[in-house]
Amino acid sequence: MPHQAVVPITAEGLKTACSQCNLQELCLPFGMSDGDIDQLDGLVGGRRKVKRHQHLYRVGDTFEAIFAVRTGSFKTDVLLEDGREQVTGFQMSGEIIGLDGISTDAHTCNAVALEDSDVCIIPFANLETLSREVESLQHQFHKVMSREIVRDHGVMMLLGSMRAEERLAAFLINMSQRFTARGFSAAEFHLRMTREEIGSYLGLKLETVSRAFSRFQENGLIKVQQKHIRIVNIGGLKALLSHLPSV
Amino acid sequence: MPHQAVVPITAEGLKTACSQCNLQELCLPFGMSDGDIDQLDGLVGGRRKVKRHQHLYRVGDTFEAIFAVRTGSFKTDVLLEDGREQVTGFQMSGEIIGLDGISTDAHTCNAVALEDSDVCIIPFANLETLSREVESLQHQFHKVMSREIVRDHGVMMLLGSMRAEERLAAFLINMSQRFTARGFSAAEFHLRMTREEIGSYLGLKLETVSRAFSRFQENGLIKVQQKHIRIVNIGGLKALLSHLPSV
DNA sequence: CAAGCGGGTTGACGTGGATCAAACGCCCCA
DNA sequence: TGGGGCGTTTGATCCACGTCAACCCGCTTG
């Protein structure tokens, strides 16, 4: 296995992993009462650091745990035999990675760190056991999975029915919302992924992504400097999605 | 609510809904032991008939239950404000519909019968309660959700990275496999959806779907007569996917 | 400080699939 | 039995995005 070693953590530290974590509002325990969260001792089996460009898991790895992003960010992708890549998602702090592995006990996509990151390891056996005891955990976990399905439907909509600029506008609005939820600026942020990765996610070539960025800038919607994005006219971006005249 | 009335069923009939059902191998209980399946009394809350072109549920309907297709088939779709439709999936007997509703307690897509159909109603509260008691049910349900996520990733691959003929070949192979699993011919089947619905699912216009069908026929891969499809050269179809020279 | 390189931008051109349009065939129903 | 309409097929044309190519910029490394 090409995996890095699990970061050793004291049993004491992990006992309070969730109850002490400031990502509660974004992560699995979202919506659970403090009392219920206190029951999650032992849910997290460890932590793991993953360096930029390293894999958290690969297609075919046996599935044992899901992961909660603590810091950093990831992409997940699937490959075709001839090498074509499809990025299926980008994950930020508090988000859960690895749900794809449950169905066959083996991972069906790759998860790669976009920057130096670390994750909580949630052994799936722990999660299922605790879920049978803590009703709210069970329900939250089901919501997390369902949310992933709903998100995937949104991506299908995007890939199947939108044109290039609509796709990129949807992407930027989505990123903005997720940064906001994490206490960062809604208008100014740093993308961790390349134009090629954005393109793969959106079903476009990197040149098309680059051109759409430039067009948005010409139209005064955003300011682009490489990976640094400033949204100048969020209404204009949203109007692109609803096919309304831009404000 | 525009829903049809639930078909009244005797309590006795439902007590054995799953243990007596011949769809076990395809449905939620797949992989569970007979003993465990016997514990599923009360899981199914009722049955419902849905006529062709009628909705099983709509975007915004409150979520109370998931559904298992007993007979017939469905499509699920999402709409953009301007009316563009994206079909997110086609469901056949034994498959589960409605998982999208868990995340927000309201459905986020529409489910429409492609032909006269009927479904088992599985109240979600029942499912969560029983899942806490029957470990194998819990695990199977998690697998069903995960399988849906993996399927969605496949659709993203298709929409984001494949060309028209590859998409249609993938679609036909997938249909063939699902008919086979249900004891029907792998080579000859009747599509219940229109060219437009196939196109929406595959991110193509109906004319493009039609032309691709014609091309496949010219090349001796299939025989098409409206909705009736006969696969003549399955290897050739698969070769289209792997970018290999067709056999 | 120069060279090398990965990522990004921009331009010129090509093409796969969309669009527009016409006609066909199956099926329902009077 | 004979319309009428939806779903499908097919042709002609168009255009959004892909492809190919040149160049730029900021970083890293020797």
Side-chain angles (χ1 to χ4, degrees), chain A residues 20-243:
Chain A
Q20 300 297 315
C21 183
N22 58 6
L23 254 32
Q24 274 177 28
E25 331 296 319
L26 295 166
C27 198
L28 234 195
F30 169 76
M32 290 176 60
S33 70
D34 289 354
D36 285 351
I37 294 178
D38 288 345
Q39 295 183 60
L40 301 188
D41 291 358
L43 179 62
V44 174
R47 303 257 166 78
R48 199 169 124 201
K49 287 186 187 301
V50 188
K51 287 244 174 74
R52 185 166 127 99
H53 292 165
Q54 286 193 329
H55 282 72
L56 175 58
Y57 58 80
R58 289 167 194 274
V59 172
D61 283 2
T62 53
F63 170 75
E64 284 161 3
I66 61 173
F67 306 93
V69 180
R70 274 166 51 81
T71 62
S73 52
F74 291 81
K75 71 168 177 181
T76 47
D77 66 12
V78 287
L79 282 325
L80 239 38
E81 304 97 36
D82 60 8
R84 277 178 284 180
E85 176 194 33
Q86 177 68 35
V87 171
T88 54
F90 298 112
Q91 295 80 21
M92 309 179 33
S93 60
E95 294 174 342
I96 302 293
I97 318 187
L99 300 173
D100 59 280
I102 302 169
S103 75
T104 56
D105 295 318
H107 284 288
T108 58
C109 64
N110 302 293
V112 183
L114 295 175
E115 58 192 307
D116 291 359
S117 304
D118 71 308
V119 299
C120 286
I121 302 170
I122 305 175
F124 194 59
N126 292 10
L127 178 61
E128 288 199 328
T129 303
L130 259 176
S131 281
R132 272 178 263 125
E133 293 160 13
V134 183
E135 198 174 325
S136 59
L137 174 64
Q138 178 195 40
H139 196 59
Q140 272 317 120
F141 177 59
H142 290 163
K143 287 201 172 197
V144 165
M145 293 208 89
S146 177
R147 207 175 301 140
E148 177 69 16
I149 290 171
V150 172
R151 189 194 69 83
D152 291 347
H153 289 175
V155 177
M156 286 182 210
M157 172 92 253
L158 199 133
L159 292 171
S161 309
M162 292 185 179
R163 35 197 54 264
E165 293 194 2
E166 293 174 316
R167 296 183 202 188
L168 192 64
F171 172 75
L172 287 174
I173 290 165
N174 177 264
M175 290 305 285
S176 167
Q177 288 168 345
R178 288 157 75 192
F179 279 117
T180 306
R182 279 154 188 81
F184 299 114
S185 165
E188 208 161 350
F189 45 82
H190 191 82
L191 298 175
R192 316 311 307 215
M193 66 292 287
T194 66
R195 298 288 187 267
E196 187 169 18
E197 286 164 335
I198 297 172
S200 169
Y201 179 62
L202 299 178
L204 304 169
K205 291 291 149 183
L206 65 120
E207 295 94 331
T208 305
V209 173
S210 180
R211 278 186 242 271
F213 271 129
S214 300
R215 186 93 45 88
F216 285 176
Q217 181 161 262
E218 283 165 28
N219 297 345
L221 298 175
I222 63 173
K223 274 289 211 178
V224 192
Q225 270 177 289
Q226 306 284 118
K227 293 187 151 71
H228 188 88
I229 306 288
R230 187 154 61 83
I231 298 182
V232 178
N233 178 359
I234 184 84
L237 278 182
K238 288 183 176 163
L240 276 181
L241 281 190
S242 22
H243 256 212

Side-chain angles (χ1 to χ4, degrees), chain B residues 163-164 205 208 211:
Chain B
R163 35 197 54 264
K205 292 291 149 181
T208 304
R211 277 186 242 271

Side-chain angles (χ1 to χ4, degrees), chain B residues 87-102:
Chain B
V87 171
T88 55
F90 298 112
Q91 296 81 21
M92 312 182 26
S93 60
E95 294 173 341
I96 303 293
I97 319 188
L99 301 172
D100 58 281
I102 303 169

